Amino acid sequence: MSDVQGDEAAVREWREAAGDDGLVLLDGFHALKHALRFGADVRMVVADEPDAVRALARELAPDVEADVARLVRGAALKTLLPRVHPTGVAALAVRPDRARGLAGLGRMPRPAPVVVLDNPRNLGNVGAVVRLAAGFGATGVVTRGDLDPWHPNVVRAGAGLHYATTVERITLDTLPPGPLYALDPEGEYIRSLTLPDDALLAFGSERHGISPELRARADHLVSLPMRPQVSSYNLATSVAMTLFHWGGPRETGQEVVQ
Ligand SMILES: C[S@@+](CC[C@H](N)C(=O)[O-])C[C@H]1O[C@@H](n2cnc3c(N)ncnc32)[C@H](O)[C@@H]1O
């Protein structure tokens, strides 16, 4: 009896909260684990089988097991979500404050580059880039254009790692400071360059490449190694190669897993 009442309360609270623009859907255990690990303010966690999610946390993420155990409540996910993640768990977390994010991106000296995506179109690509930026310890990912980098499908593709870096939408006027390296197949060969820690690393849209406005602002155009007759690489793989060339996490107090 009390379980059923608990479920009903959780369903009602989820429905009320889910319309709130300030909350972000975390779909699945992996996203929840990363969000908790990187300090997200997680407001609700619902699961078809809370005990199974507690067991998953014990097995895969003992560092956040206590948080998962405290937060998770039972609810039939298929009544709350259009698509239920195979791990049977979903959560709502607070979207970080935009002004604070922008202020952090503008702070110099900067210990690691900011990735700039110039009018990206593919939500999965943007999520993959956030995941890369988090893994490499980049300062952040900023996007120009109308795509919301916190769209639920971007957060899904980013595996909840939006909370491990800074992710914001910007305009040309609010582009963070720093030398601008725009990646373009016509640019200077990347292996002849060192990418500085305070760099802005800019990548063009999937269809049109770097926009004329951003190209005009670039201090360097940079190309990745590529055989003749191949036109270009995928956006997210280009970001991966460039961050790898920059160098990745340094000994800055963050533990580096090798
Ligand atoms: C799918 S590509 C864009 C292709 C687009 N049709 C064009 O004309 O540039 C997306 C972005 O990845 C980066 N990129 C892809 N291949 C690259 C290469 N060989 N060298 C440098 N950047 C590359 C660029 O920033 C590019 O704008």
Side-chain angles (χ1 to χ4, degrees):
M1 179 69 179
S2 63
D3 274 358
V4 174
Q5 281 173 352
D7 283 3
E8 284 172 359
V11 166
R12 194 177 53 250
E13 284 170 44
W14 179 279
R15 291 211 169 106
E16 282 166 12
D20 182 339
D21 283 351
L23 294 178
V24 177
L25 172 67
L26 300 169
D27 194 17
F29 183 76
H30 209 37
L32 170 63
K33 169 193 75 181
H34 279 144
L36 285 170
R37 208 170 255 172
F38 289 101
D41 179 359
V42 177
R43 291 290 162 89
M44 273 199 84
V45 180
V46 287
D48 285 319
E49 294 177 43
D51 282 343
V53 174
R54 290 189 187 101
L56 212 52
R58 201 171 311 124
E59 186 192 347
L60 300 178
D63 55 323
V64 296
E65 181 189 348
D67 292 320
V68 172
R70 177 175 51 82
L71 288 163
V72 69
R73 297 161 72 183
L77 293 193
K78 67 176 189 303
T79 66
L80 301 177
L81 296 165
R83 196 190 68 119
V84 177
H85 192 273
T87 52
V89 58
L92 293 171
V94 176
R95 181 171 172 157
D97 181 66
R98 176 173 161 74
R100 207 160 152 212
L102 291 176
L105 290 166
R107 211 166 291 132
M108 297 294 254
R110 177 184 297 133
V114 172
V115 175
V116 180
L117 301 181
D118 192 12
N119 200 21
R121 308 314 308 155
N122 183 294
L123 299 163
N125 264 341
V126 179
V129 170
V130 169
R131 195 167 179 172
L132 283 163
F136 275 94
T139 296
V141 177
V142 296
T143 61
R144 269 190 81 211
D146 54 10
L147 177 150
D148 177 6
W150 283 84
H151 185 286
N153 293 354
V154 179
V155 176
R156 183 176 300 128
L161 285 163
H162 281 59
Y163 290 94
T165 185
T166 298
V167 181
E168 287 299 341
R169 184 148 43 152
I170 49 114
T171 63
L172 264 196
D173 291 339
T174 54
L175 192 66
L180 179 60
Y181 290 74
L183 274 285
D184 184 275
E186 303 297 313
E188 196 180 334
Y189 192 43
I190 195 165
R191 286 187 179 140
S192 64
L193 292 168
T194 298
L195 298 173
D197 292 346
D198 61 358
L200 301 178
L201 304 175
F203 300 82
S205 79
E206 295 87 342
R207 176 74 65 87
H208 301 294
I210 291 280
S211 64
E213 316 86 79
L214 206 66
R215 189 181 290 265
R217 297 268 289 258
D219 298 295
H220 304 269
L221 281 185
V222 183
S223 67
L224 297 164
M226 195 169 67
R227 262 172 77 179
Q229 296 175 301
V230 175
S231 314
S232 67
Y233 292 117
N234 159 272
L235 173 58
T237 54
S238 302
V239 175
M241 285 185 266
T242 307
L243 286 173
F244 187 81
H245 181 74
W246 161 63
R250 310 278 164 82
E251 292 186 23
T252 56
Q254 289 178 344
E255 191 185 341
V256 176
V257 180
Q258 292 177 332

Short mmCIF file of all heavy atoms in Angstrom, two decimals, residues 182-187 202-210 215 222-226 230-236 238-239 241-242, ligand 1:
data_model
loop_
_atom_site.label_atom_id
_atom_site.label_comp_id
_atom_site.label_asym_id
_atom_site.label_seq_id
_atom_site.Cartn_x
_atom_site.Cartn_y
_atom_site.Cartn_z
N ALA A 182 40.83 27.91 -36.13
CA ALA A 182 39.66 27.36 -36.83
C ALA A 182 40.10 26.17 -37.66
O ALA A 182 41.03 26.26 -38.47
CB ALA A 182 39.03 28.43 -37.71
N LEU A 183 39.45 25.03 -37.44
CA LEU A 183 39.82 23.79 -38.13
C LEU A 183 39.14 23.75 -39.49
O LEU A 183 37.92 23.87 -39.60
CB LEU A 183 39.41 22.59 -37.27
CG LEU A 183 40.41 22.14 -36.19
CD1 LEU A 183 41.58 21.40 -36.86
CD2 LEU A 183 40.93 23.27 -35.33
N ASP A 184 40.00 23.59 -40.51
CA ASP A 184 39.50 23.62 -41.89
C ASP A 184 40.49 22.84 -42.77
O ASP A 184 41.71 23.01 -42.62
CB ASP A 184 39.42 25.09 -42.34
CG ASP A 184 38.82 25.20 -43.72
OD1 ASP A 184 39.58 25.07 -44.71
OD2 ASP A 184 37.60 25.41 -43.82
N PRO A 185 39.97 21.99 -43.67
CA PRO A 185 40.89 21.19 -44.49
C PRO A 185 41.87 22.02 -45.31
O PRO A 185 42.91 21.50 -45.73
CB PRO A 185 39.94 20.41 -45.41
CG PRO A 185 38.63 20.38 -44.67
CD PRO A 185 38.56 21.66 -43.90
N GLU A 186 41.61 23.30 -45.52
CA GLU A 186 42.53 24.15 -46.28
C GLU A 186 43.60 24.81 -45.42
O GLU A 186 44.42 25.58 -45.92
CB GLU A 186 41.74 25.29 -46.97
CG GLU A 186 40.62 24.83 -47.89
CD GLU A 186 41.17 24.04 -49.07
OE1 GLU A 186 42.14 24.51 -49.67
OE2 GLU A 186 40.63 22.94 -49.33
N GLY A 187 43.60 24.53 -44.12
CA GLY A 187 44.49 25.26 -43.21
C GLY A 187 45.90 24.72 -43.15
O GLY A 187 46.29 23.80 -43.88
N ALA A 202 37.94 26.01 -33.00
CA ALA A 202 36.63 26.17 -33.64
C ALA A 202 36.43 25.17 -34.78
O ALA A 202 37.36 24.93 -35.57
CB ALA A 202 36.48 27.59 -34.17
N PHE A 203 35.23 24.64 -34.86
CA PHE A 203 34.88 23.63 -35.86
C PHE A 203 33.61 24.06 -36.57
O PHE A 203 32.67 24.55 -35.93
CB PHE A 203 34.68 22.27 -35.18
CG PHE A 203 35.92 21.81 -34.47
CD1 PHE A 203 36.22 22.28 -33.19
CD2 PHE A 203 36.82 20.96 -35.09
CE1 PHE A 203 37.38 21.90 -32.54
CE2 PHE A 203 37.98 20.57 -34.46
CZ PHE A 203 38.27 21.04 -33.18
N GLY A 204 33.57 23.81 -37.89
CA GLY A 204 32.43 24.26 -38.67
C GLY A 204 31.25 23.31 -38.62
O GLY A 204 31.32 22.22 -38.04
N SER A 205 30.16 23.74 -39.25
CA SER A 205 28.95 22.91 -39.25
C SER A 205 29.15 21.72 -40.19
O SER A 205 29.98 21.75 -41.10
CB SER A 205 27.73 23.74 -39.69
OG SER A 205 27.73 23.87 -41.08
N GLU A 206 28.35 20.70 -39.96
CA GLU A 206 28.47 19.46 -40.73
C GLU A 206 28.29 19.72 -42.22
O GLU A 206 28.98 19.12 -43.05
CB GLU A 206 27.42 18.45 -40.26
CG GLU A 206 27.60 17.96 -38.83
CD GLU A 206 26.93 18.84 -37.79
OE1 GLU A 206 26.60 20.00 -38.11
OE2 GLU A 206 26.74 18.37 -36.64
N ARG A 207 27.39 20.61 -42.56
CA ARG A 207 27.09 20.84 -43.98
C ARG A 207 28.00 21.90 -44.60
O ARG A 207 28.53 21.73 -45.69
CB ARG A 207 25.60 21.28 -44.07
CG ARG A 207 25.12 21.67 -45.44
CD ARG A 207 24.90 20.50 -46.37
NE ARG A 207 23.83 19.61 -45.93
CZ ARG A 207 22.55 19.78 -46.23
NH1 ARG A 207 22.16 20.78 -46.97
NH2 ARG A 207 21.66 18.93 -45.78
N HIS A 208 28.21 23.02 -43.88
CA HIS A 208 28.84 24.19 -44.52
C HIS A 208 30.26 24.50 -44.05
O HIS A 208 30.89 25.41 -44.58
CB HIS A 208 27.97 25.43 -44.32
CG HIS A 208 26.59 25.26 -44.89
ND1 HIS A 208 26.36 25.13 -46.24
CD2 HIS A 208 25.38 25.18 -44.29
CE1 HIS A 208 25.06 24.98 -46.45
NE2 HIS A 208 24.45 24.99 -45.29
N GLY A 209 30.75 23.79 -43.05
CA GLY A 209 32.09 24.11 -42.55
C GLY A 209 32.11 25.41 -41.74
O GLY A 209 31.06 25.90 -41.29
N ILE A 210 33.30 25.96 -41.56
CA ILE A 210 33.46 27.21 -40.78
C ILE A 210 32.77 28.37 -41.52
O ILE A 210 32.96 28.54 -42.72
CB ILE A 210 34.97 27.52 -40.62
CG1 ILE A 210 35.63 26.50 -39.70
CG2 ILE A 210 35.23 28.93 -40.14
CD1 ILE A 210 35.43 26.72 -38.21
N ARG A 215 35.61 32.56 -39.73
CA ARG A 215 36.87 32.47 -40.48
C ARG A 215 37.59 33.83 -40.44
O ARG A 215 38.81 33.90 -40.27
CB ARG A 215 36.54 32.08 -41.92
CG ARG A 215 37.73 31.74 -42.79
CD ARG A 215 37.24 31.41 -44.19
NE ARG A 215 36.52 30.16 -44.21
CZ ARG A 215 37.07 28.99 -44.52
NH1 ARG A 215 38.34 28.93 -44.86
NH2 ARG A 215 36.36 27.89 -44.52
N VAL A 222 43.62 25.65 -39.43
CA VAL A 222 44.40 24.44 -39.13
C VAL A 222 43.77 23.24 -39.81
O VAL A 222 42.55 23.04 -39.73
CB VAL A 222 44.41 24.19 -37.60
CG1 VAL A 222 45.27 22.98 -37.26
CG2 VAL A 222 44.90 25.42 -36.84
N SER A 223 44.60 22.41 -40.45
CA SER A 223 44.06 21.20 -41.10
C SER A 223 44.55 19.93 -40.40
O SER A 223 45.63 19.91 -39.80
CB SER A 223 44.46 21.17 -42.58
OG SER A 223 45.85 20.98 -42.69
N LEU A 224 43.74 18.90 -40.51
CA LEU A 224 44.07 17.58 -39.96
C LEU A 224 44.62 16.71 -41.09
O LEU A 224 44.24 16.90 -42.25
CB LEU A 224 42.81 16.93 -39.40
CG LEU A 224 42.18 17.67 -38.22
CD1 LEU A 224 40.74 17.19 -37.98
CD2 LEU A 224 43.02 17.48 -36.96
N PRO A 225 45.51 15.76 -40.76
CA PRO A 225 46.05 14.90 -41.81
C PRO A 225 44.92 14.14 -42.52
O PRO A 225 44.07 13.54 -41.86
CB PRO A 225 46.97 13.93 -41.06
CG PRO A 225 46.77 14.16 -39.61
CD PRO A 225 46.02 15.42 -39.42
N MET A 226 44.91 14.21 -43.83
CA MET A 226 43.82 13.56 -44.58
C MET A 226 44.28 13.32 -46.01
O MET A 226 44.91 14.18 -46.62
CB MET A 226 42.59 14.49 -44.56
CG MET A 226 41.30 13.86 -44.97
SD MET A 226 39.88 14.94 -44.59
CE MET A 226 40.13 16.29 -45.72
N VAL A 230 39.61 12.75 -50.12
CA VAL A 230 38.65 12.65 -49.01
C VAL A 230 38.30 14.10 -48.67
O VAL A 230 39.19 14.92 -48.48
CB VAL A 230 39.27 11.94 -47.79
CG1 VAL A 230 38.31 11.95 -46.61
CG2 VAL A 230 39.66 10.51 -48.16
N SER A 231 37.01 14.44 -48.61
CA SER A 231 36.63 15.86 -48.45
C SER A 231 36.81 16.34 -47.02
O SER A 231 37.32 17.44 -46.78
CB SER A 231 35.17 16.08 -48.83
OG SER A 231 34.89 15.43 -50.02
N SER A 232 36.34 15.56 -46.06
CA SER A 232 36.42 16.02 -44.67
C SER A 232 36.11 14.86 -43.74
O SER A 232 35.60 13.83 -44.16
CB SER A 232 35.39 17.14 -44.41
OG SER A 232 34.07 16.62 -44.50
N TYR A 233 36.39 15.08 -42.45
CA TYR A 233 36.02 14.13 -41.41
C TYR A 233 34.72 14.57 -40.76
O TYR A 233 34.29 15.73 -40.87
CB TYR A 233 37.10 14.09 -40.33
CG TYR A 233 38.42 13.50 -40.78
CD1 TYR A 233 39.57 14.29 -40.79
CD2 TYR A 233 38.52 12.18 -41.16
CE1 TYR A 233 40.79 13.75 -41.19
CE2 TYR A 233 39.74 11.63 -41.56
CZ TYR A 233 40.86 12.43 -41.57
OH TYR A 233 42.06 11.90 -41.97
N ASN A 234 34.15 13.65 -40.02
CA ASN A 234 33.00 13.96 -39.19
C ASN A 234 33.40 15.01 -38.12
O ASN A 234 34.55 15.04 -37.67
CB ASN A 234 32.54 12.64 -38.53
CG ASN A 234 31.72 12.86 -37.29
OD1 ASN A 234 32.25 12.99 -36.20
ND2 ASN A 234 30.41 12.92 -37.47
N LEU A 235 32.45 15.83 -37.73
CA LEU A 235 32.71 16.91 -36.77
C LEU A 235 33.32 16.39 -35.46
O LEU A 235 34.37 16.87 -35.00
CB LEU A 235 31.40 17.65 -36.50
CG LEU A 235 31.39 18.70 -35.41
CD1 LEU A 235 32.41 19.78 -35.67
CD2 LEU A 235 29.98 19.32 -35.31
N ALA A 236 32.68 15.40 -34.84
CA ALA A 236 33.15 14.95 -33.52
C ALA A 236 34.52 14.28 -33.62
O ALA A 236 35.37 14.46 -32.73
CB ALA A 236 32.14 14.00 -32.88
N SER A 238 36.80 15.09 -35.72
CA SER A 238 37.77 16.20 -35.89
C SER A 238 38.11 16.81 -34.54
O SER A 238 39.28 17.15 -34.28
CB SER A 238 37.18 17.28 -36.81
OG SER A 238 36.84 16.73 -38.05
N VAL A 239 37.11 16.97 -33.70
CA VAL A 239 37.37 17.51 -32.36
C VAL A 239 38.28 16.55 -31.59
O VAL A 239 39.23 16.97 -30.92
CB VAL A 239 36.04 17.75 -31.59
CG1 VAL A 239 36.31 18.19 -30.16
CG2 VAL A 239 35.18 18.79 -32.32
N MET A 241 40.55 14.44 -32.71
CA MET A 241 41.95 14.50 -33.17
C MET A 241 42.62 15.78 -32.69
O MET A 241 43.80 15.79 -32.31
CB MET A 241 41.99 14.43 -34.70
CG MET A 241 41.73 13.04 -35.22
SD MET A 241 41.94 12.97 -37.00
CE MET A 241 40.27 13.24 -37.54
N THR A 242 41.88 16.87 -32.70
CA THR A 242 42.46 18.17 -32.34
C THR A 242 42.77 18.22 -30.84
O THR A 242 43.86 18.67 -30.43
CB THR A 242 41.50 19.30 -32.75
OG1 THR A 242 41.19 19.14 -34.14
CG2 THR A 242 42.11 20.67 -32.52
C1 LIG B 1 31.90 17.52 -41.62
S1 LIG B 1 33.08 18.79 -41.60
C2 LIG B 1 32.38 20.03 -42.64
C3 LIG B 1 32.39 19.68 -44.06
C4 LIG B 1 31.90 20.80 -44.90
N1 LIG B 1 31.18 20.29 -46.03
C5 LIG B 1 33.03 21.70 -45.40
O1 LIG B 1 32.96 22.10 -46.53
O2 LIG B 1 33.94 22.06 -44.66
C6 LIG B 1 32.84 19.55 -40.02
C7 LIG B 1 34.04 20.28 -39.51
O3 LIG B 1 35.04 19.35 -39.09
C8 LIG B 1 36.33 19.94 -39.25
N2 LIG B 1 37.10 19.14 -40.20
C9 LIG B 1 36.69 18.05 -40.89
N3 LIG B 1 37.70 17.56 -41.62
C10 LIG B 1 38.77 18.35 -41.41
C11 LIG B 1 40.13 18.37 -41.86
N4 LIG B 1 40.60 17.46 -42.70
N5 LIG B 1 40.93 19.34 -41.41
C12 LIG B 1 40.50 20.26 -40.53
N6 LIG B 1 39.23 20.30 -40.08
C13 LIG B 1 38.39 19.36 -40.49
C14 LIG B 1 36.11 21.33 -39.78
O4 LIG B 1 36.08 22.25 -38.71
C15 LIG B 1 34.76 21.20 -40.44
O5 LIG B 1 34.14 22.45 -40.60
#
